[in-house]
């Protein structure tokens, strides 16, 4: 490609609504252009990266035996009603009516459509396993679109769906996809981590997220440097810290006027925060024979720990909880929030203690009385033994659940998700096959997504400096830029550029030659901003010594390379 | 590809709603699957063809200097309101509201979005010319979707948009696109014809349609076998037939009870139909100072000719005409439809005669009296000379407008359109550039579409037989199928198949080996239906003589080819 025939449009400043670095750099590099909230045009430079991402995904998906098809964007409401997602998804699902008033969803994913295709195509176990995928535009009407391609409304996703006879088969298909994802992310040249994720209603461990590691990532990833353990924060099991000591203090009511937070109580009493216990009051409403009854729960966490809501939802009886209202708290505990505690509430409350709290002794908690807390509280003596559950987020230094070391935490950006669906969709939609005995059985499904356009944002969050983007070779819009010095003045430079350009193209290098006639500073700044990973400068001075100047995007110094060796040198750099 | 790992799903019978052969064959071959009215899933076999179409388009577009980008599907209503198309397009434009009640169009084309991109990116004449394109899903809410991919609602289109400084530049860009289209359709291997099309409001000759020739096509294409003249029916100029002879008959009122059609009048009077003139009564309503006034027109056509409504709209004063109502006809002519004529209507009527009618003498027309016609009518003598215009469709045998022979007509399917837009969009949207003098001027635009998915239907309408589809090599889902006879029984066959499969792949042939273990009849029927253009049968009998059997999809007989020569033989067939 010649830059004069390409469309390069860089900006010195990013627009003010670009909050994160990847958004800022993509706007400045002229890769994307905003059309509306969360809706972008991919300009030629950006589209080149997307096509490289798609090509790698497609090659590895095909290698894994998955078959590409293309499902429609506009999907009849009836299918979404079969699975209940028409009602369940709320305003995130974009809905549209046609001229006859029939309703359609604009696809956010395609479970319904692929299950509909498969239920009419699959008759027998002989046709299984199958894995279909497509790379297609998606739309999700996010409440607050932001961060450029990271949380857009219209985006491109690769979604795959596997169909198997039984759970064993589904798990095998899942494993094949997991391995394909590892190959895909390795080929992207990105640092990534696969973490176990919560599997929602399905349960089990059949779900993993693939994250691009970046300090700006929205998600906390938990892993054990000494073992294979890795999970996202929702799914990472927190073990109990410490063992319960014997009671050594008397339970004492102490005045703590205005101290509603564990931090301020600990400060007042001159105790470490880890001696305090915080309480979270929950309400569960049940409807029986038209009457609504309420049940009250109290969760206990160590003062320095954080609640994990996903874990709370898995405690028996708490699937449909909500936080108690202030009125409920007054009624149940006889006091205001900030002074609640597990000892003698006014009304019956089910106490659920985090594993670590259950191991505490002589702890501090609210006294169920305004401006008072209790110290020296001990299980068994001052109050009954609680129900024990894992309620908290893990923290750095926690013991790994596999017993092989301590946990570390890093930040990531979710770009892929593999999921064992089981029969959740196939049963609702009647997608069955006939087994060896001619009996119908529901298909076991898996689904597998990669956010194609999101990869661009994530790759930049991981790879940038103060000059701009630093693309990995595999994703760069161009692998190499040729920068001639004074091409219009020097026949020697011009001839050498044309020769090298032809030789590199013949060698299969994705090269662009900057023939725009810009000054060196402006030219270099453009390519550093756009993030082309390799640069060769062709100038008269070097040529007179038979040399060209190579500089990698992360290099601080240029390297002189003899003209005759440059193609081989570049191929070496590209690992070809 | 191995058939056992691909998804092949053929049907003996097409569904009853498949009316045309391409729709029937695509359904039977398992290329598409209906999801809703005019909405299809492209199954793996169909998607392979789409990808080949897209790749050819992309290569030729890039070669022509056009730049690929990707514009969104969901486009803000505001842009569509700027050009007035939000109101003008009616229910064909699919509209959707987001969670905040903001309105969007689902793109049927992208003139507004590209003009918005360009108006913010283009500052100077130095950046011109530019041509951007994308290959993207489109949606048009057709009133009556039908014919499979020929008139679907969701479809894939390549749309390109050129931007130039002046009309000369625009015409040059248009010419480059025209040439690229010729290369594209030639590479598809389809018989096609480019015809001049009506340019609507823009006027001039700056519009051509590209049609795939097929006897089942919806459009009539007019061309001159002895010259370059080619136009669609709307745009093909009809010259006058014959010269006006001297009057030789007296004008006579003759009874024609119940004869309201020229055909029945001619039969009754024992005259050729070409001696009769038919009348079409039109009304034009004008609003001035809040008052609506009506003006009446009568069009005259020779009895055997057909009205061309596009041409009528171009006659001075007739841009906004409608057919007169029966009540208006009674009022203006004093009689019922079927007996109208240009001689002495009751009220003033503007008479517009087709060129051929203006050259007639001694003709027959309605008498403006129930059950009567006039014979021997002559211009100048019996009624004033009319306004003369080209009002009719051409017919086979008409003189070519370029004076170089006579016209022929064939049927075609429109799959591409190139169009000189001029400043229609850029002026409404304020898309200007600064010229050499620093003065702003509106951008001159062109737009260029190819119906990607429609190509599939059109290619099949042109290429099928009673066994199924006959793909041209360039579009076939696979170029070649290997059909082994008894692969599971014969080690010799198995070894030869694997060797040939590997050799063909190494030679770059897009080959599928049918390892499903079907009987020969069922196997051949599948591939003939799917339309793979080349087939090689590997059987023990032939192998013992050192031969394989080649058969082209259109061949009636197989050809024995020595094993060692097969790869070269196939490459020869594929023209590689």
């Amino acid at each position: 490609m010649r830059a004069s025939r390409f469309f390069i449009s860089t900006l010195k400043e990013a627009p003010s609504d670009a909050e994160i670095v990847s958004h800022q750099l993509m706007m400045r590099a002229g890769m994307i252009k905003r059309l509306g909230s969360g809706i972008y045009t991919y300009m030629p430079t950006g589209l080149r990266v997307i096509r490289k991402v798609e090509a790698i995904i497609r090659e590895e998906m095909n290698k894994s035996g998955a078959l590409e098809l293309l499902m429609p964007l506009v999907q009849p409401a009836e299918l979404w009603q079969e699975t209940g997602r028409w009602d369940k998804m709320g305003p995130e699902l974009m809905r549209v009516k046609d001229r006859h008033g029939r309703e359609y969803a604009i696809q956010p994913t395609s479970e319904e459509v692929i299950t509909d295709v498969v239920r009419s195509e699959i008759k027998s176990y002989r046709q299984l396993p199958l894995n279909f995928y497509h790379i297609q535009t998606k739309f999700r009407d996010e409440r607050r679109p932001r961060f450029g391609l990271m949380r857009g409304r219209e985006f491109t996703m690769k979604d795959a769906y596997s169909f198997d006879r039984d759970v064993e088969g589904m798990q095998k298909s899942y494993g094949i996809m997991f391995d394909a994802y590892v190959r895909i992310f390795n080929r992207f040249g990105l640092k990534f981590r696969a973490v176990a994720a919560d599997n929602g209603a399905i349960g089990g461990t059949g779900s993993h997220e693939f994250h691009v590691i970046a300090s700006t990532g929205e998600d906390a990833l938990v892993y054990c440097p000494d073992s294979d353990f890795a999970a996202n924060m929702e799914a990472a099991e927190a073990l109990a810290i410490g063992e319960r000591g014997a009671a050594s203090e008397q339970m004492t009511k102490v005045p703590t006027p205005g101290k509603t937070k564990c931090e301020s109580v600990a400060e007042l009493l001159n105790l470490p925060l880890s001696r305090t216990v915080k309480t979270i009051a929950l309400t569960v409403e049940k409807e029986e024979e038209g009457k609504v009854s309420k049940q009250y729960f109290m969760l206990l966490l160590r003062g320095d720990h954080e609640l994990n809501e996903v874990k709370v939802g898995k405690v028996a009886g708490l699937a449909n909880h909500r936080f108690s209202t202030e009125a409920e708290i007054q009624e149940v505990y006889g006091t205001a929030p900030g002074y609640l505690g597990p000892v003698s509430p006014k009304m019956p409350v089910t106490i659920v203690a985090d594993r670590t709290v259950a191991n505490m002794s002589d702890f501090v908690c609210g006294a169920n009385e305004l401006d008072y807390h209790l110290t020296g509280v001990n299980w068994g003596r001052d109050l009954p033994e609680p129900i024990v559950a894992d309620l908290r987020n893990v923290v750095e230094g926690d013991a790994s659940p596999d017993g092989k070391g301590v946990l570390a935490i890093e930040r990531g950006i979710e770009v892929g998700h593999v999921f064992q669906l089981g029969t959740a969709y196939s049963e609702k939609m009647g997608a069955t096959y006939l087994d060896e005995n001619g009996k119908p059985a529901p298909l076991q499904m898996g689904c597998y997504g990669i956010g194609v356009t999101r990869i661009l944002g994530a790759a930049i969050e991981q790879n940038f400096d103060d000059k701009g983007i630093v693309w990995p070779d595999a994703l760069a819009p161009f692998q190499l830029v040729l920068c001639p010095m004074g091409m219009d003045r020097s026949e020697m430079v011009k001839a050498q550029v044309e020769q090298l350009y032809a030789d590199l193209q013949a060698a299969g290098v994705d090269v662009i030659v900057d023939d725009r006639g810009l000054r060196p500073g402006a030219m270099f700044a453009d390519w550093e901003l756009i993030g082309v990973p390799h640069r060769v400068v062709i100038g008269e001075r070097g040529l007179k010594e038979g040399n060209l100047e190579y500089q990698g995007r992360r290099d601080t110094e240029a390297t002189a390379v003899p003209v005759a060796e440059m193609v081989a040198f570049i191929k070496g750099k590209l690992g070809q």
Side-chain angles (χ1 to χ4, degrees), chain A:
Chain A
M1 181 62 76
R2 292 172 193 273
S4 62
R5 296 183 197 166
F6 195 62
F7 189 76
I8 296 161
S9 174
T10 55
L11 298 171
K12 287 247 184 296
E13 302 287 337
S16 58
D17 68 332
E19 299 168 57
I20 60 170
V21 72
S22 60
H23 189 190
Q24 290 162 355
L25 289 175
M26 268 189 278
M27 296 295 290
R28 286 186 54 206
M31 296 180 62
I32 57 174
K33 211 164 167 65
R34 185 180 181 280
L35 178 64
S37 173
I39 303 177
Y40 294 88
T41 293
Y42 302 101
M43 297 297 287
T45 313
L47 185 61
R48 287 183 77 93
V49 181
I50 291 177
R51 294 283 183 242
K52 293 192 178 187
V53 170
E54 289 177 347
I56 290 171
I57 292 174
R58 188 170 278 127
E59 280 176 32
E60 295 299 334
M61 290 300 292
N62 292 349
K63 207 181 287 174
S64 81
L67 293 168
E68 188 175 6
L69 43 60
L70 190 65
M71 288 177 276
L73 277 150
V74 177
Q75 308 184 342
E78 290 77 13
L79 285 181
W80 287 75
Q81 284 155 352
E82 281 190 53
T83 62
R85 291 213 295 173
W86 183 258
D87 295 322
K88 205 165 154 188
M89 277 203 66
E92 196 176 288
L93 183 67
M94 194 87 151
R95 296 148 209 260
V96 58
K97 278 186 191 169
D98 74 3
R99 66 196 299 154
H100 304 295
R102 284 188 296 251
E103 289 189 298
Y104 296 84
I106 302 185
Q107 66 153 340
T109 59
S110 282
E111 281 84 356
E112 282 79 1
V113 171
I114 195 68
T115 307
D116 179 58
V117 166
V118 164
R119 70 178 162 184
S120 75
E121 288 286 347
I122 300 305
K123 310 289 178 225
S124 154
Y125 68 95
R126 289 190 198 88
Q127 293 169 278
L128 302 173
L130 273 171
N131 188 349
F132 290 112
Y133 76 99
H134 68 167
I135 300 176
Q136 173 71 305
T137 307
K138 303 283 185 290
F139 202 94
R140 284 186 197 168
D141 197 2
E142 294 272 352
R143 183 196 304 268
R144 212 185 133 203
R146 56 193 163 144
F147 303 152
L149 302 193
M150 302 294 256
R151 197 171 294 281
R153 296 200 292 172
E154 186 170 321
F155 57 98
T156 302
M157 190 168 113
K158 185 283 297 174
D159 38 330
Y161 305 91
S162 66
F163 296 87
D164 277 276
R165 303 169 60 175
D166 48 30
V167 171
E168 198 186 337
M170 172 184 71
Q171 285 169 345
K172 195 175 160 195
S173 293
Y174 181 87
I176 290 170
M177 277 296 98
F178 188 100
D179 294 345
Y181 274 42
V182 169
R183 293 197 304 272
I184 287 167
F185 287 99
N186 275 325
R187 283 187 60 185
F188 287 160
L190 298 174
K191 290 187 284 290
F192 71 98
R193 190 178 291 283
V195 297
D198 179 58
N199 211 356
I202 309 289
T205 54
S207 172
H208 285 84
E209 293 167 356
F210 284 75
H211 287 260
V212 168
I213 305 304
S215 58
T216 54
E218 278 193 294
D219 294 312
L221 311 180
V222 181
Y223 68 102
C224 177
D226 303 319
S227 77
D228 288 341
F229 180 84
N232 68 13
M233 188 53 87
E234 285 72 37
E237 183 182 1
L239 300 183
I241 298 175
E243 305 216 344
R244 193 192 290 180
S248 66
E249 298 176 10
Q250 284 303 312
M251 184 168 81
T252 312
K253 193 163 83 177
V254 296
T256 53
K259 307 299 184 195
T260 60
K261 299 273 172 208
C262 285
E263 287 77 2
S264 47
V265 173
E267 197 184 353
L268 177 73
L269 303 178
N270 199 23
L271 288 172
L273 187 55
S274 59
R275 290 282 299 280
T276 65
V277 168
K278 62 182 162 193
T279 61
I280 294 121
L282 301 182
T283 304
V284 174
E285 295 187 28
K286 278 189 187 169
E287 202 181 316
E288 270 176 27
E289 296 175 9
K291 279 190 182 169
V292 177
S293 67
K294 290 181 181 178
Q295 200 186 348
Y296 298 103
F297 288 81
M298 173 180 280
L299 308 182
L300 299 179
L301 285 179
R302 203 171 78 176
D304 57 338
H305 284 161
E306 277 179 11
L307 186 69
N308 182 313
E309 284 210 54
V310 170
K311 292 178 179 177
V312 175
K314 290 183 174 171
V315 174
L318 287 180
N320 294 305
H321 67 275
R322 60 169 171 79
F323 292 107
S324 300
T325 63
E326 274 210 45
E328 286 169 341
I329 287 172
Q330 279 291 355
E331 185 190 348
V332 175
Y333 302 93
T335 186
Y339 302 98
L340 311 189
V343 183
S344 309
K346 221 169 117 186
M347 283 172 58
V349 170
T350 306
I351 310 280
V352 185
D354 179 61
R355 289 167 172 175
T356 295
V357 174
N359 277 10
M360 288 169 77
S361 56
D362 296 332
F363 59 84
V364 177
C365 60
N368 293 323
E369 188 178 335
L370 191 69
D371 292 344
Y372 283 94
H373 279 75
L374 299 174
T375 63
V377 181
N378 283 278
W379 295 111
R381 186 191 73 183
D382 307 322
L383 73 173
E385 292 290 339
I387 296 168
V388 181
D390 176 12
L391 297 179
R392 70 175 176 96
N393 285 339
V394 299
V395 292
E396 294 246 8
D398 274 354
S400 176
D402 63 4
K404 294 183 180 166
V406 296
L407 295 177
I409 294 176
E410 64 188 349
R411 310 297 299 177
I413 298 163
E414 188 191 339
V415 287
H417 200 160
V418 292
F419 206 95
Q420 296 181 20
L421 286 171
T423 58
Y425 287 83
S426 54
E427 284 190 352
K428 282 179 187 145
M429 295 185 67
T432 59
Y433 70 96
L434 296 179
D435 67 15
E436 291 95 326
N437 306 315
K439 281 193 185 159
L443 287 156
Q444 289 282 344
M445 290 173 60
C447 69
Y448 317 95
I450 295 180
V452 171
T453 37
R454 201 173 215 220
I455 295 285
L456 275 64
I460 295 171
E461 293 291 333
Q462 188 180 84
N463 299 283
F464 68 93
D465 61 18
D466 55 358
K467 294 176 190 161
I469 304 166
V470 188
W471 288 110
D473 290 352
L475 302 187
F478 299 97
Q479 293 176 314
L480 168 70
V481 58
L482 300 185
C483 294
M485 300 287 100
M487 192 170 174
D488 46 346
R489 284 179 277 107
S490 164
E491 280 303 320
M492 188 184 0
V493 168
K494 191 173 175 183
Q496 185 56 58
V497 166
E498 292 298 337
Q499 184 62 51
L500 184 58
Y501 180 50
D503 292 348
L504 286 163
Q505 283 189 307
V509 177
D510 184 16
V511 55
I512 185 164
V513 51
D514 194 341
D515 56 351
R516 295 177 297 166
L518 296 189
R519 287 173 303 100
M523 179 158 55
F524 295 165
D526 269 356
W527 298 112
E528 284 165 351
L529 174 58
I530 292 169
V532 173
H534 305 279
R535 181 178 85 194
V536 172
V537 174
I538 302 99
E540 273 206 349
R541 203 184 323 165
L543 281 181
K544 281 177 183 159
E545 294 166 12
N547 286 333
L548 305 169
E549 265 191 14
Y550 167 83
Q551 190 161 353
R553 178 64 181 78
R554 290 190 200 269
D555 297 350
T556 49
E557 300 278 330
T559 307
V561 177
V563 171
E565 293 168 24
M566 186 52 93
V567 173
F569 180 87
I570 292 295
K571 292 195 76 168
K573 285 283 176 188
L574 294 172
Q576 290 175 337

